Amino acid sequence: MTGERILVVDDEAEIRNLISEILVDEGFEVTTAENGNSARTLMEQFRPRLVLLDIWMPDIDGITLLKEWHESGKLTNPVIMMSGHGNIGTAVEATRLGAYDYLEKPLSLAKLVLTIKNALDASRLQKENLSLRRYPSEPARIIGKSKLMAQLRGQLEKVAGLDTPVLITGEPGTDKEAVARYLHAAGPGKDRSFVNVSVSALDPETTISEFYGEEQEGNIHNGFLDEAEGGTLFIKDIADLDLAAQARLQETLKNRSYKRVNGIEAVPLKTRIVTATRHRLAGRVKESAFMDELYFQLNVVPIKVPPLREYYEDVPDILQYFVNFFVEREGLPYRFFTTAALNRLRRYPWPGNSRELKNLVQRMLILGGDAAIDLEEIETALGEQPARKESDNVSNLDLPLRQARENFERDYLEYQLKMANGSVSKMARNVHMERTHLYRKLKSLGIDIKS
């Protein structure tokens, strides 16, 4: 809870100062107001997570102020009422108007701190439930034991604690959202909302109000930045953002604040901005389709998601993850891949990357029965290219050198194993390799000796 903002409203300086000192010691960020008018202003500027509101004040009483916030839609966080002259009727009225609790003076400081923590926990849970309904959650996952995936996790963990923007790039189908969620889960805002926005799905006419919210006749309509406060706003397809919205985002990042549509007061930016694109933004800048200043602000920490063909050794683990995912999430029947099927999928170039792999697994589970997923079924699913025969002397020259070398070694050793009728001893003599070393090589390449 450290860092939660609390507004203390009380006309008695001694009480304000005492409460403030106690709450600061508990790790909260506190500001105080001595009357209702000051509280109105600070409600907009400070944007507290919780308000401690005295009922009896010289200019505006707390019940009137609470009613005003309730009717204007500004009562989005818990309010705890305080009074030394209260009665049951006042407490009931405060609760009806949205107050979380009602405390009598003189205050028990232990009870005050406990009530505050309970109120914040309840508010956070309520907001998380609302956020989950609008932005369904996915696990924060980067699957695989390969060197590339270890490097990617290391990069993300280095920048997770910073509040600088992050730009995630990668080919179509690379799971950039999973990378953004991993970054969010590893950062200080992991308990706050992860708001996932696809620019291509927005109406250009309302994009700015969707992002920044709107103020109408004293009522506040939250935008994506409000909903993601303290957490992460993940903007997919950032290259598709129109120039007017780009200019607004550039000003937001520059000033570390924003104004809602028709708003007057600037709202501090307390949200991590993470963006993603499959395009080369530098090229869009040269074409004057993307603002250079915004590009430089977003590209402070660039993260490149490698294509699946560059870490093909992780394909079996990723396949297993998605099998479990669809079995648990959608109740699909469990099936497993035979060794021959796994070897085929390891060698497949995956032009659609992890999205293609996920779709393939889902299709296998939906259309198949209880039997294992074998090579024939995989070839039928892949469809566009038949299984390559050992006699085919065709190489994919577009592959990285390491993968091309391993593909050749696998094909060569599978051919030699067949020529030796499955005898590793005979094969070792034919290829001039020590038998123990050959066994290790066959295992590392996923070649099943028995098959």
Side-chain angles (χ1 to χ4, degrees):
M1 291 207 188
T2 304
E4 298 275 21
R5 297 188 300 280
I6 296 179
L7 172 62
V8 180
V9 186
D10 199 298
D11 61 330
E12 296 183 54
E14 186 176 341
I15 293 178
R16 288 198 310 272
N17 294 336
L18 175 62
I19 293 175
S20 179
E21 288 174 7
I22 294 295
L23 296 182
V24 168
D25 287 342
E26 290 288 327
F28 297 105
E29 182 183 346
V30 182
T31 195
T32 61
E34 71 278 4
N35 56 46
N37 279 320
S38 178
R40 276 180 178 148
T41 302
L42 288 170
M43 193 72 165
E44 292 290 337
Q45 296 177 348
F46 185 59
R47 302 191 75 219
R49 283 285 175 183
L50 181 142
V51 180
L52 290 171
L53 180 60
D54 189 26
I55 289 181
W56 303 108
M57 292 183 292
D59 56 345
I60 306 169
D61 68 87
I63 293 293
T64 299
L65 199 56
L66 180 67
K67 184 177 181 181
E68 179 183 305
W69 289 337
H70 176 74
E71 292 176 348
S72 68
K74 296 178 183 178
L75 198 62
T76 57
N77 290 312
V79 175
I80 298 173
M81 306 301 291
M82 307 180 295
S83 177
H85 312 284
N87 55 53
I88 293 177
T90 306
V92 170
E93 176 67 4
T95 304
R96 187 184 68 80
L97 292 171
Y100 175 81
D101 209 341
Y102 178 95
L103 300 178
E104 292 187 9
K105 297 178 181 178
L107 298 170
S108 162
L109 296 179
K111 182 179 180 181
L112 173 66
V113 171
L114 180 62
T115 304
I116 288 172
K117 291 182 177 180
N118 288 340
L120 289 170
D121 284 341
S123 175
R124 185 179 298 110
L125 183 61
Q126 182 183 38
K127 288 181 178 180
E128 284 175 1
N129 288 337
L130 290 171
S131 179
L132 285 174
R133 283 199 290 271
R134 186 168 183 186
Y135 309 104
S137 68
E138 291 276 351
R141 54 175 173 77
I142 294 181
I143 305 160
K145 307 178 187 72
S146 64
K147 185 178 179 181
L148 272 180
M149 290 299 98
Q151 288 174 342
L152 180 59
R153 282 189 289 266
Q155 270 186 295
L156 295 173
E157 284 158 12
K158 282 182 182 178
V159 302
L162 308 176
D163 63 355
T164 51
V166 173
L167 175 62
I168 303 172
T169 60
E171 292 181 5
T174 52
D175 202 344
K176 294 178 275 291
E177 182 179 336
V179 173
R181 288 187 181 277
Y182 188 94
L183 184 67
H184 172 76
K190 62 184 179 182
D191 295 327
R192 302 290 182 82
S193 295
F194 178 93
V195 175
N196 178 9
V197 178
S198 177
V199 171
S200 58
L202 298 177
D203 181 350
E205 297 292 325
T206 60
T207 294
I208 290 179
S209 61
E210 290 265 30
F211 271 97
Y212 293 95
E214 194 169 355
E215 294 186 22
Q216 292 179 334
E217 299 177 354
N219 295 328
I220 294 176
H221 303 281
N222 286 340
F224 298 138
L225 284 167
D226 296 309
E227 293 172 354
E229 185 187 5
T232 301
L233 176 60
F234 175 51
I235 309 173
K236 295 187 287 189
D237 318 314
I238 188 66
D240 296 333
L241 199 64
D242 65 77
L243 288 173
Q246 288 180 34
R248 190 75 170 250
L249 181 57
Q250 190 269 326
E251 283 296 311
T252 297
L253 294 173
K254 177 183 175 182
N255 300 327
R256 301 297 301 171
S257 65
Y258 61 94
K259 290 182 181 178
R260 300 186 186 91
V261 175
N262 301 322
I264 298 174
E265 298 290 340
V267 180
L269 178 66
K270 295 184 179 291
T271 302
R272 179 78 176 268
I273 305 293
V274 179
T275 56
T277 181
R278 67 185 188 279
H279 299 289
R280 288 186 65 256
L281 283 188
R284 293 295 181 99
V285 170
K286 288 181 181 179
E287 297 166 0
S288 300
F290 202 86
M291 292 179 60
D292 55 353
E293 288 185 35
L294 178 58
Y295 169 64
F296 295 130
Q297 286 173 319
L298 296 176
N299 201 38
V300 173
V301 181
I303 299 288
K304 187 177 187 301
V305 185
L308 184 54
R309 63 181 176 275
E310 292 185 4
Y311 57 103
Y312 62 91
E313 59 265 49
D314 289 329
V315 165
D317 288 340
I318 301 171
L319 287 167
Q320 188 60 56
Y321 170 83
F322 282 119
V323 168
N324 294 338
F325 176 87
F326 286 117
V327 169
E328 293 169 8
R329 290 290 187 96
E330 298 186 11
L332 296 178
Y334 182 87
R335 304 181 72 197
F336 70 91
F337 293 84
T338 65
T339 302
L342 286 175
N343 287 339
R344 176 71 176 101
L345 292 174
R346 278 164 53 101
R347 295 198 298 271
Y348 181 63
W350 297 108
N353 291 294
S354 57
R355 184 187 302 142
E356 182 183 6
L357 185 149
K358 180 179 180 180
N359 292 343
L360 176 103
V361 171
Q362 187 177 27
R363 189 161 66 250
M364 295 290 94
L365 299 186
I366 290 173
L367 299 179
D370 297 328
I373 302 170
D374 59 18
L375 180 59
E376 183 179 357
E377 188 175 355
I378 289 297
E379 293 296 356
T380 301
L382 295 179
E384 69 276 5
Q385 47 185 354
R388 182 161 48 87
K389 299 177 182 177
E390 289 86 347
S391 59
D392 292 342
N393 188 23
V394 180
S395 299
N396 185 347
L397 301 181
D398 293 326
L399 293 175
L401 177 61
R402 185 184 67 171
Q403 185 176 350
R405 183 171 58 245
E406 288 198 13
N407 284 354
F408 169 77
E409 288 180 345
R410 185 180 297 105
D411 293 343
Y412 171 76
L413 293 176
E414 284 178 343
Y415 172 79
Q416 292 293 342
L417 185 61
K418 184 178 180 180
M419 292 299 99
N421 294 318
S423 169
V424 177
S425 297
K426 183 178 179 181
M427 178 184 174
R429 289 194 299 272
N430 292 341
V431 300
H432 304 287
M433 287 180 70
E434 196 273 323
R435 190 168 61 177
T436 304
H437 177 62
L438 179 57
Y439 270 114
R440 286 200 297 267
K441 173 60 75 172
L442 292 171
K443 185 178 180 181
S444 71
L445 293 172
I447 298 174
D448 186 1
I449 300 171
K450 294 178 181 178
S451 67

